Amino acid sequence: MSSFRDDTDLAAALLALRPTPRPEFAAELDARVAAGFPRARRLVAPTPLARVRSRFGAAPRRPLLAGAGGLALAAIVVATTVIAVSEDGMAPSPARQHSGRLATPLGAATTEGTGGRGGELGAATAPSKASSASGAAGETGAGATEREAVAPSRSGPYASHAGHRDVERAASIVLGADPDRVRSDAAQVFEAVQAANGIVLHSTIRDGGAGRAGASFDLLIPTARLGGAMAAFSGVAEVRSRHDSSQDITAPTVGVGERLRDSRARIESLLAQLAGSGTSQERAEVEVELRAERDHSANLRSRLTDLHRRANLAHVSLRIETGASSTGGAGGGSWGIGDGLDDAGRILAIAAGVAVIGLAILVPFAAIGLLGWLARRAWLRTARRHALARS
Amino acid sequence: MDREHGRSRGVSQTLLATAANAPSEGEVAFERLYRASRDDVYAYAAGLLRDASAAEEVTATAFERAYRKRSRFDPRRGEPRAWLFGIARNAALDELRRRGRQAELAADPIDGSRSAAGEGVERSERRLALAVALSELTAAERELVALKFFAGLSNAEIAEVLGVSESNAGTRLHRTMTKLREACPDELV
């Protein structure tokens, strides 16, 4: 039998045992609460930033997530900007759209450029990659990309030709002009060809309205003067597109030259053999061989001449267009909505790529952090349960 | 004109200052919760720990943690008091863990002598017997009593704090009460 009649009696007795805090402690805690627990309460006048923090303080906060998210976003923005700028060399501008297209096929260096005024692209000091690769290439040897393509080999069978390389160069350029200026522009092209000691292989000039009028030229320009000539062509009218290419033909040139020397030596040998032959039959046999070798030698000489011509004269295809650009997209050199969309798409693609890479880096760390947090939580829960059971 | 402009600006400055210093909604709610629960939290901590100074420390820690986390409280997930006692319970159990790592602290002597004026000897003895019986309970059982009778939580709130079902909390509480009653024999009377 218990001394408590029922649960109510026991409850009343328990309530009477209820501990109460000391008045001093209660007063001290009241003061701390009124002060907002000193670490959080600012005694100085709130700054605008503090007011913003206070305003957002009421909303649910995830400081770590917000901080990490902000940091990741900032990193993505910075990385995108860095990649976009380093890819283009500079921020997108109307004067150099599409200059990002830079192709270097095997064995040849190729640059393309579209748009801009001729003077800008043609000059050796023009800022775009396209012009830097070819503007003054004839005089200086080549632009950066081109130097890579024709860099002399320091080893192998043609090492002796390291100081001299035979490079075949070609270029094409499309100019945009008004229909009534086609003839005068064509005349300037002829003058530029003449000034460069070039050759006009073929030319066509058409009169008419916009789109119909135009001119086309197939030109041979001394390689050493190609840069100057291209600069002159670019100055004739607005440059709509431009393409430069180069190919190292040192190997075939050296190979054909050596075979030609061998052939000449063989001819000399056959001539000596012919002089020393006693019988008519021997002479006839040697003469047959000599004729065959002379034919072979002539063939090699012709091929070598052709190779030298290819190295010394660059083939240039020049077209003057009227009306809308046939090269598409750029629209006569002015920067338009299409270009803007292209640039925007490219930047978005870069941003997406950077975000994916960033996620690939962050996700494992976040997973490790989450696992650690979960493990610590579980451990703490168990430790508290054990502490309660032990007491 | 100038006077009107000056007066108007002064008024707006006053309003701005008031708005900046005004407590936020969360602070007001916390203040209300604190006033309603300060003594209850202390009573719970003291009942569980049987150490007044440790109970004070736990109470202060609990309210400070609650203050820092006040913006994370989600009313859809439970009552504010249950949330607060969850925090207080963690602080109290952390204190128990600390005790486990350090030397065992002596519990405060049983204060069975608190008797109201004019209270009879019989009641005083009953109170002392109950205090002794309480001290012989396990910490988990003592916690139930502290939550129910010292902190004044309902069974539903106790269940939320302990992370068990309400019926489970009720069953445990009933067993503890029975144990307490049995620990206070009739011979005392």
Side-chain angles (χ1 to χ4, degrees):
Chain A
M1 189 68 183
S2 172
S3 61
F4 296 100
R5 289 187 302 277
D6 51 22
D7 278 358
T8 312
D9 192 22
L10 179 58
L14 284 170
L15 284 173
L17 283 178
R18 181 178 188 261
T20 51
R22 287 181 302 119
E24 298 84 6
F25 167 71
E28 187 189 337
L29 191 58
D30 287 352
R32 288 186 67 192
V33 170
F37 291 95
R39 190 160 65 86
R41 177 68 75 189
R42 296 178 195 286
L43 298 176
V44 296
T47 61
L49 182 64
R51 265 188 241 125
V52 171
R53 285 183 61 188
S54 170
R55 182 167 296 178
F56 284 101
R61 288 179 299 176
R62 297 285 182 274
L64 283 176
L65 283 178
L71 201 65
L73 191 64
I76 287 170
V77 169
V78 168
T80 303
T81 308
V82 167
I83 290 172
V85 169
S86 63
E87 190 179 77
D88 290 352
M90 62 178 71
S93 70
R96 37 153 239 96
Q97 79 276 18
H98 295 176
S99 65
R101 279 186 289 160
L102 189 65
T104 53
L106 291 173
T110 304
T111 60
E112 291 182 12
T114 308
R117 288 296 302 173
E120 291 172 351
L121 279 172
T125 55
S128 76
K129 291 174 181 175
S131 60
S132 68
S134 59
E139 283 85 11
T140 61
T145 310
E146 201 166 356
R147 275 197 296 275
E148 277 179 26
V150 300
S153 170
R154 298 291 173 191
S155 62
Y158 309 112
S160 59
H161 290 260
H164 170 78
R165 309 297 295 183
D166 291 307
V167 179
E168 180 184 18
R169 302 171 64 82
S172 66
I173 185 169
V174 178
L175 305 176
D178 294 333
D180 55 350
R181 285 188 54 86
V182 168
R183 286 206 169 268
S184 62
D185 288 347
Q188 287 186 56
V189 170
F190 282 121
E191 286 172 15
V193 173
Q194 195 175 9
N197 285 335
I199 300 164
V200 178
L201 293 177
H202 173 77
S203 70
T204 309
I205 300 173
R206 291 185 310 275
D207 290 322
R212 176 172 164 69
S216 65
F217 303 85
D218 279 335
L219 310 169
L220 287 177
I221 305 293
T223 303
R225 297 187 173 188
L226 180 62
M230 291 301 283
F233 298 149
S234 299
V236 170
E238 176 188 52
V239 177
R240 287 187 172 175
S241 74
R242 179 169 165 172
H243 177 97
D244 297 279
S245 66
S246 63
Q247 186 172 9
D248 190 338
I249 54 171
T250 305
T253 304
V254 171
V256 171
E258 286 174 350
R259 284 164 62 195
L260 182 58
R261 275 196 298 279
D262 290 346
S263 178
R264 281 173 178 162
R266 173 78 177 146
I267 289 170
E268 292 295 323
S269 168
L270 286 171
L271 285 173
Q273 200 176 334
L274 186 64
S277 58
T279 64
S280 58
Q281 188 182 350
E282 282 177 358
R283 286 177 64 90
E285 286 174 357
V286 171
E287 281 175 352
V288 168
E289 275 189 57
L290 191 60
R291 265 198 302 276
E293 195 57 44
R294 277 177 169 155
D295 287 346
H296 180 56
S297 177
N299 187 21
L300 288 173
R301 198 163 45 246
S302 169
R303 286 173 60 187
L304 189 62
T305 304
D306 182 55
L307 285 168
H308 284 315
R309 185 187 57 75
R310 284 167 58 190
N312 293 331
L313 293 171
H315 184 265
V316 176
S317 172
L318 188 151
R319 205 164 75 243
I320 298 176
E321 290 181 345
T322 57
S325 169
S326 63
T327 55
S334 62
W335 195 75
I337 291 174
D339 302 308
L341 289 174
D342 285 347
D343 286 345
R346 200 161 52 82
I347 288 171
L348 283 175
I350 292 170
V354 170
V356 168
I357 292 168
L359 281 175
I361 295 168
L362 284 177
V363 163
F365 283 109
I368 290 169
L370 181 67
L371 284 176
W373 179 74
L374 288 173
R376 185 182 178 279
R377 200 175 153 190
W379 171 81
L380 202 57
R381 193 170 289 180
T382 307
R384 282 171 176 161
R385 202 167 51 237
H386 287 169
L388 187 65
R390 265 201 316 268
S391 297
Chain B
M1 197 63 179
D2 284 347
R3 275 182 61 191
E4 282 181 12
H5 177 71
R7 182 181 297 168
S8 173
R9 190 173 58 182
V11 168
S12 74
Q13 280 173 344
T14 304
L15 288 173
L16 277 175
T18 305
N21 294 327
S24 67
E25 194 180 329
E27 282 175 340
V28 170
F30 177 80
E31 182 89 10
R32 201 180 302 132
L33 180 63
Y34 168 75
R35 295 206 178 285
S37 311
R38 183 195 64 191
D39 292 357
D40 295 342
V41 170
Y42 174 82
Y44 158 70
L48 173 62
L49 300 173
R50 292 183 297 147
D51 179 348
S53 63
E56 287 180 357
E57 196 177 320
V58 165
T59 305
T61 304
F63 277 111
E64 185 165 355
R65 283 184 192 172
Y67 181 81
R68 307 253 181 261
K69 295 178 179 176
R70 67 191 188 282
S71 59
R72 296 189 212 169
F73 171 67
D74 184 359
R76 289 168 299 184
R77 294 176 61 184
E79 291 298 313
R81 267 173 71 81
W83 171 75
L84 174 66
F85 274 91
I87 293 172
R89 181 173 191 253
N90 284 342
L93 296 187
D94 288 343
E95 175 62 26
L96 283 179
R97 282 174 54 221
R98 260 194 302 277
R99 283 188 188 185
R101 285 200 299 268
Q102 298 166 357
E104 181 77 23
L105 292 176
D108 283 348
I110 298 162
D111 184 12
S113 60
R114 278 194 320 176
S115 57
E119 191 178 50
V121 176
E122 177 195 338
R123 290 182 70 86
S124 180
E125 283 181 350
R126 265 195 348 165
R127 188 191 301 272
L128 183 61
L130 183 57
V132 170
L134 259 181
S135 69
E136 286 170 356
L137 290 178
T138 65
E141 291 165 339
R142 212 164 49 241
E143 182 181 38
L144 275 169
V145 173
L147 286 171
K148 179 71 180 179
F149 298 103
F150 295 171
L153 263 58
S154 66
N155 283 10
E157 286 172 328
I158 292 172
E160 197 177 332
V161 171
L162 299 182
V164 296
S165 68
E166 189 176 343
S167 62
N168 185 274
T171 305
R172 284 194 203 179
L173 192 61
H174 179 72
R175 282 184 195 152
T176 305
M177 294 288 281
T178 305
K179 192 172 177 181
L180 267 181
R181 255 207 325 271
E182 288 170 359
C184 299
D186 200 16
E187 293 81 59
L188 285 170
V189 182

